[in-house]
Amino acid sequence: MSYELWYWDGIPGRGEFVRLALEAGGIAYRERVREPGTSANALIEDMQSPRKHPPFAPPYLVADGMTLAQTANILLFLGEKHGLAPASLEGRLWVNQLQLTIADMVTEAHDTHHPISANDYYEDQKDEAARRARSFREERIPKFLAYFERALTGRTTWLAGGKRWTYVDLSLFHLVDGLLYAFPKRMGTVASHYPNVMALHARVAVLPALQPYFDSGRRLPFGECIFRQYRELDAA
Amino acid sequence: MSYELWYWDGIPGRGEFVRLALEAGGIAYRERVREPGTSANALIEDMQSPRKHPPFAPPYLVADGMTLAQTANILLFLGEKHGLAPASLEGRLWVNQLQLTIADMVTEAHDTHHPISANDYYEDQKDEAARRARSFREERIPKFLAYFERALTGRTTWLAGGKRWTYVDLSLFHLVDGLLYAFPKRMGTVASHYPNVMALHARVAVLPALQPYFDSGRRLPFGECIFRQYRELDAA
């Protein structure tokens, strides 16, 4: 039986970190909400159905009779079970640590356009968004990217240091992809300070294991999601 | 050789989640920054020193020759190695999933007083803080606590369902403790809706394994940290 991934339809969101690992790992999965004939309420109904280990929010993966939520937790499982993470304990904890740091930056990227409440419209928090985005661009983007640059220094190819990619390489690729989409001017200014990060982004983009997915048309555009192209929130 | 925990001196912060697990687990550790004679710059210097797996931010634990950062990642390691988590894969992933959901709520609690930038003073973002805190009180506190209540339903004693506590029970205790400190009026209104959560909080407070720590005077007060007692951010 294949895995079932549950996430909001129509946006890449946090679900995309899981999709990239499943796709690059050649792991069979279904997304019921994206199949024809599935009710628009299917995700809400499934999430509220009684289960031993309920999720707080999507994405969640139904796998081997378990329901696993929280992006980094799903990837921890996939990494270990499908060889998408180092075999050693130290290597697996390192990859998990990096994934959690990526998750922190993803949350902060989201909060640039929703600094007050995720339930309110962007239009109702534009002034606050402008202030938060400035702090994100000037303080947080350099701090996080300098860290990932440091994490890659001396490894040069992959974050875990081995000969093969691990799931966290795919995640850093997607994070950088989102930053390039949402903050093209700022990234234009700072990207050259992080050559190893940008090289890793380029390396994953041409990873043979991901080409069938990229070519399939199934990879959703960023759109109105975590990473948004609000020009007023970007600056060099 | 005992473990070394590194965190900012003088505040409980995210370090407290690790301390509670170490203390309740009877695991020997040192906190160099809290030892007499340690330089005020010791943490910054240690964090910047060359190492195989650098941390992005404290807390981090030096253990068995490894440097482990990200609170949930440190707890994952301690849980598995010292029996502070379930023995089964499913149980360990469930506890990790809950820990990550607690971490999300901790970040949101912090952002109630720093919604624009952690580097700016609270006084420079008070208006935005008032708006964000209202959303946190009215939307997020009920949503998160209802989830933890659901997670406990049918288990009644501990979040992992077993006969013994796991590290995530200690973390939920500390989270609720912080909410009671920072949002006493709001918690006074809603706590009765989450009887299992509040019972777990009371159960951990009297856990025999934690009493020596609580009696030692080493547990730091909340103060100016993630959970702050700004009366203007609280309401029934």
Side-chain angles (χ1 to χ4, degrees):
Chain A
M1 203 190 84
S2 78
Y3 295 162
E4 276 193 11
L5 174 63
W6 288 85
Y7 195 67
W8 306 112
D9 192 18
I11 54 169
R14 289 182 171 83
E16 192 64 12
F17 295 100
V18 181
R19 283 188 205 103
L20 287 171
L22 291 165
E23 297 279 352
I27 301 161
Y29 71 103
R30 293 174 63 185
E31 283 203 70
R32 293 265 295 281
V33 301
R34 295 180 66 183
E35 292 175 1
T38 304
S39 139
N41 288 325
L43 173 60
I44 301 286
E45 287 168 11
D46 186 75
M47 199 159 43
Q48 290 171 346
S49 67
R51 61 207 324 153
K52 188 176 171 192
H53 295 148
F56 177 72
Y60 58 93
L61 187 76
V62 180
D64 300 346
M66 303 183 287
T67 298
L68 307 173
Q70 284 280 357
T71 308
N73 189 51
I74 299 169
L75 292 170
L76 187 77
F77 164 77
L78 292 175
E80 196 159 336
K81 171 146 185 183
H82 296 276
L84 312 181
S88 71
L89 174 68
E90 182 174 19
R92 277 185 286 123
L93 291 168
W94 168 239
V95 162
N96 185 45
Q97 172 181 323
L98 291 170
Q99 186 66 42
L100 292 172
T101 308
I102 289 170
D104 286 345
M105 193 179 189
V106 166
T107 296
E108 294 191 23
H110 169 271
D111 285 3
T112 58
H113 50 78
H114 279 78
I116 301 300
S117 169
N119 293 348
D120 294 345
Y121 291 112
Y122 166 62
E123 286 67 26
D124 294 333
Q125 47 194 310
K126 279 184 83 163
D127 293 346
E128 295 89 345
R131 286 190 68 192
R132 174 119 190 188
R134 180 179 179 162
S135 152
F136 182 74
R137 289 194 312 268
E138 297 183 2
E139 299 158 15
R140 304 303 282 172
I141 286 181
K143 181 162 180 168
F144 275 106
L145 293 189
Y147 173 70
F148 293 120
E149 185 70 14
R150 184 179 173 197
L152 276 164
T153 301
R155 297 192 172 83
T156 69
T157 309
W158 304 115
L159 282 159
K163 288 187 181 167
R164 191 183 179 233
W165 56 270
T166 66
Y167 66 78
V168 79
D169 297 302
L170 313 179
S171 293
L172 185 58
F173 156 78
H174 188 62
L175 172 66
V176 171
D177 228 38
L179 293 172
L180 290 168
Y181 173 81
F183 302 98
K185 287 185 192 163
R186 183 59 179 157
M187 289 299 282
T189 302
V190 303
S192 63
H193 304 163
Y194 316 110
N196 286 316
V197 171
M198 299 314 293
L200 181 128
H201 175 262
R203 202 175 296 125
V204 174
V206 297
L207 203 65
L210 278 174
Q211 298 316 304
Y213 176 52
F214 292 163
D215 293 342
S216 70
R218 284 183 293 113
R219 190 180 185 217
L220 295 162
F222 282 111
E224 298 276 298
C225 182
I226 295 164
F227 298 104
R228 300 190 185 186
Q229 215 163 47
Y230 292 149
R231 288 170 201 282
E232 65 273 22
L233 298 185
D234 190 20
Chain B
M1 201 190 84
S2 78
Y3 295 162
E4 276 193 10
L5 175 62
W6 289 85
Y7 195 67
W8 307 112
D9 191 18
I11 54 169
R14 289 182 171 84
E16 192 65 13
F17 295 100
V18 181
R19 283 188 206 103
L20 287 171
L22 291 165
E23 297 279 352
I27 301 162
Y29 71 104
R30 294 174 62 184
E31 283 203 70
R32 294 264 295 281
V33 301
R34 295 180 65 183
E35 291 175 1
T38 303
S39 139
N41 287 326
L43 173 59
I44 300 286
E45 286 168 12
D46 187 76
M47 200 158 44
Q48 289 172 346
S49 67
R51 61 209 322 155
K52 188 174 171 194
H53 294 147
F56 176 72
Y60 58 94
L61 187 76
V62 180
D64 302 345
M66 304 183 286
T67 298
L68 308 173
Q70 283 280 359
T71 308
N73 189 50
I74 299 169
L75 291 170
L76 187 77
F77 165 76
L78 292 175
E80 196 159 338
K81 171 146 185 185
H82 296 276
L84 313 182
S88 71
L89 173 68
E90 182 174 19
R92 277 186 285 122
L93 292 168
W94 168 238
V95 162
N96 185 47
Q97 173 180 322
L98 291 170
Q99 186 67 42
L100 292 172
T101 309
I102 289 170
D104 286 345
M105 193 178 189
V106 166
T107 295
E108 294 192 24
H110 169 271
D111 285 2
T112 58
H113 50 78
H114 279 78
I116 300 301
S117 168
N119 293 348
D120 294 344
Y121 291 112
Y122 167 61
E123 285 67 27
D124 294 332
Q125 47 194 309
K126 280 184 80 164
D127 293 347
E128 296 89 345
R131 284 190 70 191
R132 173 117 191 190
R134 179 177 179 164
S135 152
F136 182 74
R137 288 194 312 268
E138 297 182 1
E139 299 159 15
R140 304 303 282 172
I141 287 181
K143 182 162 180 170
F144 276 106
L145 293 189
Y147 173 70
F148 294 119
E149 184 71 14
R150 184 180 173 198
L152 275 163
T153 301
R155 297 191 173 84
T156 70
T157 308
W158 304 116
L159 281 159
K163 289 188 179 167
R164 190 182 180 235
W165 55 269
T166 67
Y167 66 78
V168 79
D169 296 302
L170 314 179
S171 292
L172 185 57
F173 156 79
H174 188 64
L175 172 65
V176 171
D177 228 37
L179 293 172
L180 289 168
Y181 173 81
F183 302 97
K185 286 184 191 164
R186 183 58 178 159
M187 290 298 282
T189 302
V190 304
S192 63
H193 305 162
Y194 316 110
N196 286 316
V197 171
M198 300 314 293
L200 182 129
H201 175 262
R203 201 175 296 126
V204 173
V206 298
L207 204 64
L210 279 174
Q211 299 316 304
Y213 177 52
F214 292 163
D215 293 343
S216 71
R218 286 182 293 111
R219 191 182 184 215
L220 294 162
F222 282 110
E224 297 276 299
C225 180
I226 296 163
F227 299 104
R228 301 191 185 184
Q229 215 163 48
Y230 293 148
R231 288 171 201 281
E232 64 273 22
L233 298 185
D234 189 23

